Amino acid sequence: GLTITLLDAKGQPKAQAVTKDGGMFEMLEVPTGDYRLYVAKEITGREKSEAIKVKPASTTVVEMGLLLK
């Protein structure tokens, strides 16, 4: 799987998760706030990041596409 990194507003890593089959992943107990998700495929050099907002007492769902070829 790919490693997904959760970055805070200062770009500091706060959590990581590895994708499962189908690219799904989860990060539990993330504090409320604004973050950026970052993923990279080292072999191809492809990378992507996306801003997200985590709201209190809710589930945040994000769809990110990354071509792996």
Side-chain angles (χ1 to χ4, degrees):
L2 297 174
T3 300
I4 309 290
T5 304
L6 182 73
L7 306 170
D8 67 10
K10 295 179 182 178
Q12 297 299 311
K14 292 300 176 184
Q16 285 190 326
V18 177
T19 60
K20 300 174 186 171
D21 290 340
M24 301 293 291
F25 69 94
E26 65 181 4
M27 294 179 182
L28 304 175
E29 300 182 22
V30 175
T32 300
D34 295 321
Y35 297 93
R36 182 162 288 279
L37 287 174
Y38 173 81
V39 61
K41 179 71 173 177
E42 292 179 23
I43 294 172
T44 62
R46 295 179 190 270
E47 59 183 23
K48 184 161 186 175
S49 69
E50 187 165 325
I52 64 165
K53 180 179 289 288
V54 176
K55 298 178 182 177
S58 67
T59 299
T60 302
V61 177
V62 179
E63 287 190 35
M64 293 176 67
L66 180 65
L67 298 175
L68 301 180
K69 296 181 180 181

Short mmCIF file of all heavy atoms in Angstrom, two decimals:
data_model
loop_
_atom_site.label_atom_id
_atom_site.label_comp_id
_atom_site.label_asym_id
_atom_site.label_seq_id
_atom_site.Cartn_x
_atom_site.Cartn_y
_atom_site.Cartn_z
N GLY A 1 0.81 -1.19 0.00
CA GLY A 1 0.00 0.00 0.00
C GLY A 1 0.85 1.25 0.00
O GLY A 1 2.07 1.21 0.22
N LEU A 2 0.21 2.36 -0.22
CA LEU A 2 0.86 3.67 -0.18
C LEU A 2 0.72 4.28 1.20
O LEU A 2 -0.28 4.07 1.89
CB LEU A 2 0.22 4.60 -1.21
CG LEU A 2 0.33 4.19 -2.66
CD1 LEU A 2 -0.47 5.14 -3.54
CD2 LEU A 2 1.77 4.16 -3.09
N THR A 3 1.71 5.07 1.59
CA THR A 3 1.64 5.76 2.87
C THR A 3 1.00 7.12 2.67
O THR A 3 1.45 7.91 1.84
CB THR A 3 3.04 5.92 3.49
OG1 THR A 3 3.60 4.62 3.69
CG2 THR A 3 2.98 6.65 4.82
N ILE A 4 -0.04 7.39 3.44
CA ILE A 4 -0.73 8.68 3.44
C ILE A 4 -0.28 9.42 4.69
O ILE A 4 -0.33 8.88 5.79
CB ILE A 4 -2.26 8.50 3.49
CG1 ILE A 4 -2.75 7.53 2.43
CG2 ILE A 4 -2.97 9.84 3.42
CD1 ILE A 4 -2.64 8.02 1.03
N THR A 5 0.15 10.67 4.52
CA THR A 5 0.61 11.47 5.66
C THR A 5 -0.34 12.63 5.87
O THR A 5 -0.71 13.32 4.92
CB THR A 5 2.03 12.00 5.41
OG1 THR A 5 2.90 10.89 5.15
CG2 THR A 5 2.55 12.76 6.62
N LEU A 6 -0.73 12.85 7.12
CA LEU A 6 -1.57 13.97 7.50
C LEU A 6 -0.67 15.07 8.02
O LEU A 6 0.09 14.87 8.98
CB LEU A 6 -2.56 13.54 8.59
CG LEU A 6 -3.53 14.60 9.07
CD1 LEU A 6 -4.59 14.86 8.00
CD2 LEU A 6 -4.18 14.19 10.38
N LEU A 7 -0.69 16.23 7.36
CA LEU A 7 0.15 17.37 7.73
C LEU A 7 -0.69 18.47 8.35
O LEU A 7 -1.81 18.75 7.89
CB LEU A 7 0.85 17.93 6.49
CG LEU A 7 1.66 16.92 5.67
CD1 LEU A 7 2.10 17.56 4.35
CD2 LEU A 7 2.86 16.43 6.45
N ASP A 8 -0.16 19.12 9.39
CA ASP A 8 -0.88 20.24 9.99
C ASP A 8 -0.66 21.51 9.16
O ASP A 8 0.00 21.47 8.12
CB ASP A 8 -0.49 20.42 11.45
CG ASP A 8 0.95 20.87 11.67
OD1 ASP A 8 1.64 21.25 10.69
OD2 ASP A 8 1.40 20.85 12.83
N ALA A 9 -1.18 22.63 9.63
CA ALA A 9 -1.10 23.89 8.89
C ALA A 9 0.35 24.35 8.68
O ALA A 9 0.64 25.10 7.75
CB ALA A 9 -1.90 24.97 9.61
N LYS A 10 1.27 23.90 9.53
CA LYS A 10 2.68 24.27 9.40
C LYS A 10 3.47 23.26 8.57
O LYS A 10 4.68 23.37 8.42
CB LYS A 10 3.31 24.38 10.79
CG LYS A 10 2.72 25.49 11.62
CD LYS A 10 3.37 25.55 12.99
CE LYS A 10 2.74 26.65 13.82
NZ LYS A 10 3.32 26.69 15.17
N GLY A 11 2.77 22.24 8.04
CA GLY A 11 3.42 21.22 7.22
C GLY A 11 4.09 20.12 8.02
O GLY A 11 4.84 19.32 7.47
N GLN A 12 3.80 20.07 9.31
CA GLN A 12 4.37 19.04 10.18
C GLN A 12 3.52 17.78 10.15
O GLN A 12 2.29 17.86 10.26
CB GLN A 12 4.48 19.56 11.62
CG GLN A 12 5.40 20.75 11.77
CD GLN A 12 6.81 20.43 11.36
OE1 GLN A 12 7.39 19.43 11.78
NE2 GLN A 12 7.39 21.28 10.51
N PRO A 13 4.12 16.59 10.03
CA PRO A 13 3.34 15.36 10.03
C PRO A 13 2.67 15.12 11.38
O PRO A 13 3.30 15.28 12.42
CB PRO A 13 4.37 14.27 9.73
CG PRO A 13 5.69 14.92 9.66
CD PRO A 13 5.54 16.38 9.86
N LYS A 14 1.40 14.76 11.34
CA LYS A 14 0.64 14.49 12.57
C LYS A 14 0.16 13.05 12.66
O LYS A 14 -0.12 12.56 13.74
CB LYS A 14 -0.57 15.45 12.66
CG LYS A 14 -0.15 16.88 12.87
CD LYS A 14 0.62 17.01 14.16
CE LYS A 14 1.14 18.39 14.39
NZ LYS A 14 1.95 18.49 15.59
N ALA A 15 0.02 12.38 11.51
CA ALA A 15 -0.42 10.98 11.51
C ALA A 15 -0.08 10.38 10.16
O ALA A 15 0.13 11.10 9.18
CB ALA A 15 -1.92 10.89 11.76
N GLN A 16 -0.01 9.04 10.13
CA GLN A 16 0.21 8.32 8.88
C GLN A 16 -0.67 7.09 8.86
O GLN A 16 -1.02 6.55 9.91
CB GLN A 16 1.67 7.89 8.73
CG GLN A 16 2.60 9.01 8.37
CD GLN A 16 3.97 8.50 7.99
OE1 GLN A 16 4.45 7.52 8.52
NE2 GLN A 16 4.62 9.20 7.07
N ALA A 17 -1.01 6.67 7.65
CA ALA A 17 -1.77 5.44 7.44
C ALA A 17 -1.30 4.82 6.13
O ALA A 17 -0.83 5.53 5.24
CB ALA A 17 -3.27 5.72 7.38
N VAL A 18 -1.42 3.52 6.04
CA VAL A 18 -1.07 2.80 4.81
C VAL A 18 -2.37 2.33 4.16
O VAL A 18 -3.25 1.80 4.83
CB VAL A 18 -0.15 1.61 5.12
CG1 VAL A 18 0.15 0.82 3.85
CG2 VAL A 18 1.15 2.10 5.76
N THR A 19 -2.47 2.54 2.84
CA THR A 19 -3.68 2.14 2.14
C THR A 19 -3.83 0.63 2.11
O THR A 19 -2.86 -0.11 2.06
CB THR A 19 -3.69 2.68 0.69
OG1 THR A 19 -2.57 2.16 -0.01
CG2 THR A 19 -3.69 4.19 0.66
N LYS A 20 -5.09 0.21 2.12
CA LYS A 20 -5.44 -1.21 2.00
C LYS A 20 -5.80 -1.47 0.55
O LYS A 20 -5.75 -0.57 -0.29
CB LYS A 20 -6.62 -1.52 2.92
CG LYS A 20 -6.32 -1.23 4.37
CD LYS A 20 -7.56 -1.41 5.22
CE LYS A 20 -7.26 -0.98 6.64
NZ LYS A 20 -8.44 -0.92 7.47
N ASP A 21 -6.23 -2.69 0.24
CA ASP A 21 -6.70 -2.99 -1.11
C ASP A 21 -7.76 -1.99 -1.50
O ASP A 21 -8.63 -1.64 -0.71
CB ASP A 21 -7.28 -4.41 -1.17
CG ASP A 21 -6.21 -5.48 -1.03
OD1 ASP A 21 -5.03 -5.17 -1.27
OD2 ASP A 21 -6.55 -6.62 -0.68
N GLY A 22 -7.69 -1.51 -2.72
CA GLY A 22 -8.65 -0.53 -3.20
C GLY A 22 -8.31 0.89 -2.81
O GLY A 22 -9.04 1.81 -3.12
N GLY A 23 -7.20 1.08 -2.08
CA GLY A 23 -6.76 2.43 -1.73
C GLY A 23 -7.40 3.02 -0.49
O GLY A 23 -7.17 4.18 -0.17
N MET A 24 -8.19 2.24 0.23
CA MET A 24 -8.87 2.75 1.42
C MET A 24 -7.89 2.87 2.58
O MET A 24 -6.96 2.08 2.71
CB MET A 24 -10.02 1.83 1.82
CG MET A 24 -11.06 1.64 0.74
SD MET A 24 -11.99 3.14 0.38
CE MET A 24 -12.92 3.30 1.87
N PHE A 25 -8.11 3.87 3.43
CA PHE A 25 -7.32 4.02 4.64
C PHE A 25 -8.16 4.78 5.67
O PHE A 25 -9.17 5.38 5.33
CB PHE A 25 -6.01 4.79 4.38
CG PHE A 25 -6.22 6.24 4.03
CD1 PHE A 25 -6.17 7.20 5.02
CD2 PHE A 25 -6.48 6.63 2.74
CE1 PHE A 25 -6.36 8.54 4.72
CE2 PHE A 25 -6.67 7.95 2.43
CZ PHE A 25 -6.62 8.91 3.42
N GLU A 26 -7.73 4.72 6.93
CA GLU A 26 -8.40 5.51 7.95
C GLU A 26 -7.39 5.99 8.97
O GLU A 26 -6.37 5.36 9.21
CB GLU A 26 -9.53 4.74 8.63
CG GLU A 26 -9.11 3.54 9.42
CD GLU A 26 -10.29 2.81 10.04
OE1 GLU A 26 -11.45 3.17 9.79
OE2 GLU A 26 -10.03 1.86 10.78
N MET A 27 -7.69 7.16 9.52
CA MET A 27 -6.92 7.74 10.61
C MET A 27 -7.92 8.06 11.71
O MET A 27 -8.89 8.77 11.46
CB MET A 27 -6.20 9.00 10.15
CG MET A 27 -5.15 8.77 9.12
SD MET A 27 -4.38 10.31 8.61
CE MET A 27 -3.25 9.71 7.37
N LEU A 28 -7.69 7.54 12.87
CA LEU A 28 -8.64 7.68 13.97
C LEU A 28 -8.20 8.78 14.94
O LEU A 28 -7.01 9.05 15.09
CB LEU A 28 -8.79 6.35 14.71
CG LEU A 28 -9.21 5.16 13.84
CD1 LEU A 28 -9.20 3.89 14.67
CD2 LEU A 28 -10.57 5.40 13.23
N GLU A 29 -9.20 9.39 15.57
CA GLU A 29 -8.98 10.38 16.63
C GLU A 29 -8.12 11.56 16.18
O GLU A 29 -7.24 12.02 16.89
CB GLU A 29 -8.40 9.71 17.87
CG GLU A 29 -9.31 8.63 18.42
CD GLU A 29 -8.76 7.97 19.68
OE1 GLU A 29 -7.92 8.58 20.37
OE2 GLU A 29 -9.18 6.85 19.97
N VAL A 30 -8.40 12.07 14.99
CA VAL A 30 -7.71 13.26 14.49
C VAL A 30 -8.41 14.48 15.07
O VAL A 30 -9.63 14.62 14.93
CB VAL A 30 -7.75 13.30 12.94
CG1 VAL A 30 -7.14 14.60 12.43
CG2 VAL A 30 -7.02 12.10 12.36
N PRO A 31 -7.68 15.36 15.73
CA PRO A 31 -8.30 16.56 16.31
C PRO A 31 -8.93 17.45 15.23
O PRO A 31 -8.47 17.47 14.08
CB PRO A 31 -7.14 17.29 16.98
CG PRO A 31 -6.09 16.25 17.20
CD PRO A 31 -6.26 15.28 16.07
N THR A 32 -9.93 18.20 15.61
CA THR A 32 -10.59 19.15 14.72
C THR A 32 -9.55 20.13 14.18
O THR A 32 -8.65 20.55 14.90
CB THR A 32 -11.66 19.93 15.51
OG1 THR A 32 -12.61 18.99 16.00
CG2 THR A 32 -12.36 20.95 14.64
N GLY A 33 -9.67 20.47 12.90
CA GLY A 33 -8.75 21.46 12.33
C GLY A 33 -8.57 21.31 10.84
O GLY A 33 -9.19 20.47 10.19
N ASP A 34 -7.71 22.16 10.31
CA ASP A 34 -7.38 22.16 8.89
C ASP A 34 -6.07 21.41 8.69
O ASP A 34 -5.09 21.66 9.40
CB ASP A 34 -7.24 23.59 8.36
CG ASP A 34 -8.56 24.34 8.42
OD1 ASP A 34 -9.60 23.72 8.13
OD2 ASP A 34 -8.54 25.54 8.73
N TYR A 35 -6.07 20.50 7.71
CA TYR A 35 -4.91 19.66 7.45
C TYR A 35 -4.70 19.52 5.95
O TYR A 35 -5.51 19.96 5.15
CB TYR A 35 -5.13 18.25 8.03
CG TYR A 35 -5.29 18.21 9.52
CD1 TYR A 35 -6.56 18.27 10.11
CD2 TYR A 35 -4.18 18.09 10.35
CE1 TYR A 35 -6.70 18.22 11.48
CE2 TYR A 35 -4.31 18.03 11.72
CZ TYR A 35 -5.57 18.11 12.28
OH TYR A 35 -5.71 18.06 13.65
N ARG A 36 -3.62 18.83 5.59
CA ARG A 36 -3.36 18.47 4.21
C ARG A 36 -2.97 17.00 4.21
O ARG A 36 -2.17 16.57 5.02
CB ARG A 36 -2.23 19.33 3.65
CG ARG A 36 -1.93 19.05 2.20
CD ARG A 36 -1.13 20.16 1.55
NE ARG A 36 -1.92 21.36 1.34
CZ ARG A 36 -2.76 21.58 0.34
NH1 ARG A 36 -2.96 20.65 -0.57
NH2 ARG A 36 -3.41 22.70 0.23
N LEU A 37 -3.59 16.23 3.30
CA LEU A 37 -3.21 14.84 3.10
C LEU A 37 -2.19 14.80 1.97
O LEU A 37 -2.36 15.46 0.96
CB LEU A 37 -4.42 13.99 2.69
CG LEU A 37 -5.42 13.68 3.79
CD1 LEU A 37 -6.62 12.96 3.19
CD2 LEU A 37 -4.79 12.85 4.89
N TYR A 38 -1.14 13.99 2.17
CA TYR A 38 -0.08 13.90 1.17
C TYR A 38 0.19 12.43 0.88
O TYR A 38 0.30 11.61 1.79
CB TYR A 38 1.20 14.57 1.68
CG TYR A 38 2.38 14.36 0.78
CD1 TYR A 38 2.55 15.14 -0.35
CD2 TYR A 38 3.32 13.38 1.06
CE1 TYR A 38 3.63 14.94 -1.20
CE2 TYR A 38 4.41 13.18 0.22
CZ TYR A 38 4.55 13.96 -0.90
OH TYR A 38 5.62 13.74 -1.73
N VAL A 39 0.32 12.09 -0.40
CA VAL A 39 0.65 10.73 -0.82
C VAL A 39 1.62 10.82 -2.00
O VAL A 39 1.53 11.73 -2.81
CB VAL A 39 -0.61 9.92 -1.21
CG1 VAL A 39 -1.35 10.56 -2.36
CG2 VAL A 39 -0.26 8.47 -1.51
N ALA A 40 2.57 9.89 -2.03
CA ALA A 40 3.53 9.85 -3.14
C ALA A 40 3.79 8.40 -3.52
O ALA A 40 3.80 7.52 -2.67
CB ALA A 40 4.83 10.52 -2.75
N LYS A 41 4.01 8.18 -4.79
CA LYS A 41 4.42 6.88 -5.31
C LYS A 41 5.87 7.04 -5.73
O LYS A 41 6.18 7.62 -6.77
CB LYS A 41 3.53 6.47 -6.50
CG LYS A 41 3.89 5.15 -7.12
CD LYS A 41 3.53 4.00 -6.24
CE LYS A 41 3.74 2.68 -6.97
NZ LYS A 41 3.48 1.53 -6.17
N GLU A 42 6.78 6.56 -4.89
CA GLU A 42 8.21 6.80 -5.10
C GLU A 42 8.72 6.28 -6.43
O GLU A 42 9.52 6.94 -7.10
CB GLU A 42 9.01 6.20 -3.95
CG GLU A 42 8.77 6.91 -2.65
CD GLU A 42 9.55 6.29 -1.51
OE1 GLU A 42 10.56 5.62 -1.77
OE2 GLU A 42 9.13 6.47 -0.36
N ILE A 43 8.27 5.11 -6.84
CA ILE A 43 8.78 4.51 -8.08
C ILE A 43 8.50 5.39 -9.29
O ILE A 43 9.34 5.52 -10.18
CB ILE A 43 8.18 3.10 -8.28
CG1 ILE A 43 8.70 2.17 -7.17
CG2 ILE A 43 8.51 2.54 -9.64
CD1 ILE A 43 8.04 0.81 -7.14
N THR A 44 7.32 6.00 -9.34
CA THR A 44 6.94 6.81 -10.49
C THR A 44 7.20 8.30 -10.28
O THR A 44 7.16 9.07 -11.23
CB THR A 44 5.44 6.64 -10.81
OG1 THR A 44 4.69 7.10 -9.69
CG2 THR A 44 5.11 5.20 -11.11
N GLY A 45 7.43 8.71 -9.04
CA GLY A 45 7.63 10.12 -8.74
C GLY A 45 6.34 10.91 -8.69
O GLY A 45 6.36 12.13 -8.56
N ARG A 46 5.21 10.23 -8.80
CA ARG A 46 3.92 10.94 -8.75
C ARG A 46 3.57 11.22 -7.30
O ARG A 46 3.80 10.41 -6.41
CB ARG A 46 2.83 10.12 -9.41
CG ARG A 46 3.06 9.93 -10.89
CD ARG A 46 1.94 9.09 -11.50
NE ARG A 46 2.26 8.72 -12.86
CZ ARG A 46 1.94 9.45 -13.92
NH1 ARG A 46 1.30 10.57 -13.78
NH2 ARG A 46 2.28 9.03 -15.13
N GLU A 47 2.99 12.39 -7.08
CA GLU A 47 2.56 12.76 -5.73
C GLU A 47 1.31 13.63 -5.81
O GLU A 47 1.00 14.20 -6.85
CB GLU A 47 3.67 13.49 -4.98
CG GLU A 47 4.13 14.75 -5.64
CD GLU A 47 5.29 15.39 -4.90
OE1 GLU A 47 6.01 14.71 -4.17
OE2 GLU A 47 5.46 16.60 -5.08
N LYS A 48 0.62 13.71 -4.68
CA LYS A 48 -0.60 14.52 -4.62
C LYS A 48 -0.83 14.93 -3.18
O LYS A 48 -0.52 14.19 -2.26
CB LYS A 48 -1.80 13.74 -5.14
CG LYS A 48 -3.07 14.57 -5.18
CD LYS A 48 -4.10 13.99 -6.07
CE LYS A 48 -5.26 14.97 -6.16
NZ LYS A 48 -6.26 14.52 -7.09
N SER A 49 -1.38 16.11 -3.01
CA SER A 49 -1.81 16.54 -1.68
C SER A 49 -3.15 17.24 -1.83
O SER A 49 -3.47 17.77 -2.90
CB SER A 49 -0.77 17.45 -1.03
OG SER A 49 -0.69 18.68 -1.68
N GLU A 50 -3.90 17.21 -0.76
CA GLU A 50 -5.22 17.81 -0.79
C GLU A 50 -5.56 18.37 0.59
O GLU A 50 -5.34 17.71 1.60
CB GLU A 50 -6.26 16.77 -1.19
CG GLU A 50 -7.63 17.35 -1.40
CD GLU A 50 -8.55 16.40 -2.13
OE1 GLU A 50 -8.08 15.65 -3.01
OE2 GLU A 50 -9.74 16.41 -1.82
N ALA A 51 -6.09 19.59 0.60
CA ALA A 51 -6.50 20.22 1.85
C ALA A 51 -7.79 19.58 2.35
O ALA A 51 -8.68 19.29 1.55
CB ALA A 51 -6.70 21.72 1.65
N ILE A 52 -7.87 19.35 3.65
CA ILE A 52 -9.09 18.81 4.25
C ILE A 52 -9.40 19.56 5.53
O ILE A 52 -8.51 20.17 6.14
CB ILE A 52 -8.98 17.29 4.55
CG1 ILE A 52 -7.91 17.02 5.59
CG2 ILE A 52 -8.74 16.50 3.28
CD1 ILE A 52 -8.00 15.63 6.18
N LYS A 53 -10.65 19.52 5.93
CA LYS A 53 -11.09 20.11 7.19
C LYS A 53 -11.72 19.00 8.01
O LYS A 53 -12.66 18.35 7.55
CB LYS A 53 -12.09 21.24 6.95
CG LYS A 53 -12.59 21.91 8.22
CD LYS A 53 -13.56 23.03 7.93
CE LYS A 53 -12.88 24.23 7.34
NZ LYS A 53 -12.03 25.00 8.25
N VAL A 54 -11.20 18.78 9.21
CA VAL A 54 -11.76 17.79 10.12
C VAL A 54 -12.67 18.52 11.09
O VAL A 54 -12.25 19.46 11.77
CB VAL A 54 -10.64 17.04 10.88
CG1 VAL A 54 -11.23 16.08 11.91
CG2 VAL A 54 -9.74 16.29 9.90
N LYS A 55 -13.94 18.10 11.11
CA LYS A 55 -14.94 18.73 11.97
C LYS A 55 -15.15 17.90 13.23
O LYS A 55 -14.90 16.68 13.22
CB LYS A 55 -16.25 18.88 11.21
CG LYS A 55 -16.12 19.79 10.00
CD LYS A 55 -17.41 19.89 9.23
CE LYS A 55 -17.20 20.77 8.00
NZ LYS A 55 -18.40 20.84 7.18
N PRO A 56 -15.61 18.51 14.31
CA PRO A 56 -15.79 17.77 15.56
C PRO A 56 -16.86 16.69 15.43
O PRO A 56 -17.88 16.89 14.75
CB PRO A 56 -16.21 18.83 16.57
CG PRO A 56 -16.56 20.04 15.79
CD PRO A 56 -15.96 19.91 14.43
N ALA A 57 -16.62 15.57 16.08
CA ALA A 57 -17.58 14.46 16.18
C ALA A 57 -18.16 14.05 14.83
O ALA A 57 -19.37 13.87 14.68
CB ALA A 57 -18.70 14.82 17.15
N SER A 58 -17.30 13.92 13.83
CA SER A 58 -17.79 13.51 12.51
C SER A 58 -16.72 12.70 11.79
O SER A 58 -15.58 12.61 12.22
CB SER A 58 -18.16 14.74 11.67
OG SER A 58 -17.01 15.48 11.35
N THR A 59 -17.13 12.11 10.69
CA THR A 59 -16.23 11.37 9.82
C THR A 59 -15.93 12.22 8.60
O THR A 59 -16.84 12.77 7.99
CB THR A 59 -16.87 10.03 9.39
OG1 THR A 59 -17.12 9.25 10.55
CG2 THR A 59 -15.97 9.26 8.44
N THR A 60 -14.67 12.33 8.25
CA THR A 60 -14.27 13.09 7.07
C THR A 60 -13.91 12.09 5.97
O THR A 60 -13.08 11.21 6.18
CB THR A 60 -13.06 13.98 7.38
OG1 THR A 60 -13.39 14.87 8.46
CG2 THR A 60 -12.64 14.80 6.17
N VAL A 61 -14.56 12.21 4.83
CA VAL A 61 -14.30 11.32 3.71
C VAL A 61 -13.62 12.13 2.61
O VAL A 61 -14.09 13.20 2.24
CB VAL A 61 -15.63 10.69 3.18
CG1 VAL A 61 -15.37 9.82 1.97
CG2 VAL A 61 -16.31 9.91 4.28
N VAL A 62 -12.53 11.59 2.08
CA VAL A 62 -11.77 12.27 1.04
C VAL A 62 -11.52 11.28 -0.09
O VAL A 62 -11.13 10.15 0.16
CB VAL A 62 -10.41 12.78 1.57
CG1 VAL A 62 -9.62 13.45 0.49
CG2 VAL A 62 -10.62 13.71 2.75
N GLU A 63 -11.74 11.71 -1.32
CA GLU A 63 -11.39 10.91 -2.49
C GLU A 63 -10.23 11.58 -3.19
O GLU A 63 -10.33 12.75 -3.57
CB GLU A 63 -12.58 10.78 -3.44
CG GLU A 63 -13.65 9.86 -2.90
CD GLU A 63 -14.70 9.55 -3.94
OE1 GLU A 63 -14.35 9.43 -5.15
OE2 GLU A 63 -15.86 9.43 -3.57
N MET A 64 -9.14 10.85 -3.34
CA MET A 64 -7.96 11.38 -4.03
C MET A 64 -7.60 10.40 -5.15
O MET A 64 -7.62 9.20 -4.94
CB MET A 64 -6.77 11.49 -3.08
CG MET A 64 -6.93 12.51 -1.99
SD MET A 64 -5.55 12.52 -0.82
CE MET A 64 -4.22 13.12 -1.83
N GLY A 65 -7.26 10.92 -6.29
CA GLY A 65 -6.81 10.07 -7.39
C GLY A 65 -5.32 10.25 -7.60
O GLY A 65 -4.82 11.37 -7.56
N LEU A 66 -4.61 9.16 -7.77
CA LEU A 66 -3.17 9.20 -8.04
C LEU A 66 -2.86 8.10 -9.03
O LEU A 66 -3.03 6.92 -8.73
CB LEU A 66 -2.38 8.98 -6.75
CG LEU A 66 -0.87 8.99 -6.86
CD1 LEU A 66 -0.36 10.38 -7.27
CD2 LEU A 66 -0.23 8.58 -5.55
N LEU A 67 -2.45 8.48 -10.21
CA LEU A 67 -2.07 7.48 -11.21
C LEU A 67 -0.77 6.83 -10.78
O LEU A 67 0.20 7.50 -10.45
CB LEU A 67 -1.90 8.14 -12.59
CG LEU A 67 -3.16 8.78 -13.15
CD1 LEU A 67 -2.83 9.51 -14.45
CD2 LEU A 67 -4.23 7.74 -13.38
N LEU A 68 -0.76 5.51 -10.76
CA LEU A 68 0.38 4.80 -10.22
C LEU A 68 1.34 4.31 -11.28
O LEU A 68 2.33 3.68 -10.98
CB LEU A 68 -0.12 3.60 -9.38
CG LEU A 68 -1.01 4.01 -8.21
CD1 LEU A 68 -1.45 2.78 -7.46
CD2 LEU A 68 -0.33 4.98 -7.30
N LYS A 69 1.06 4.58 -12.55
CA LYS A 69 1.93 4.11 -13.63
C LYS A 69 2.91 5.17 -14.03
O LYS A 69 2.74 6.31 -13.84
CB LYS A 69 1.08 3.68 -14.82
CG LYS A 69 0.20 2.51 -14.48
CD LYS A 69 -0.60 2.10 -15.68
CE LYS A 69 -1.49 0.91 -15.32
NZ LYS A 69 -2.26 0.46 -16.43
#
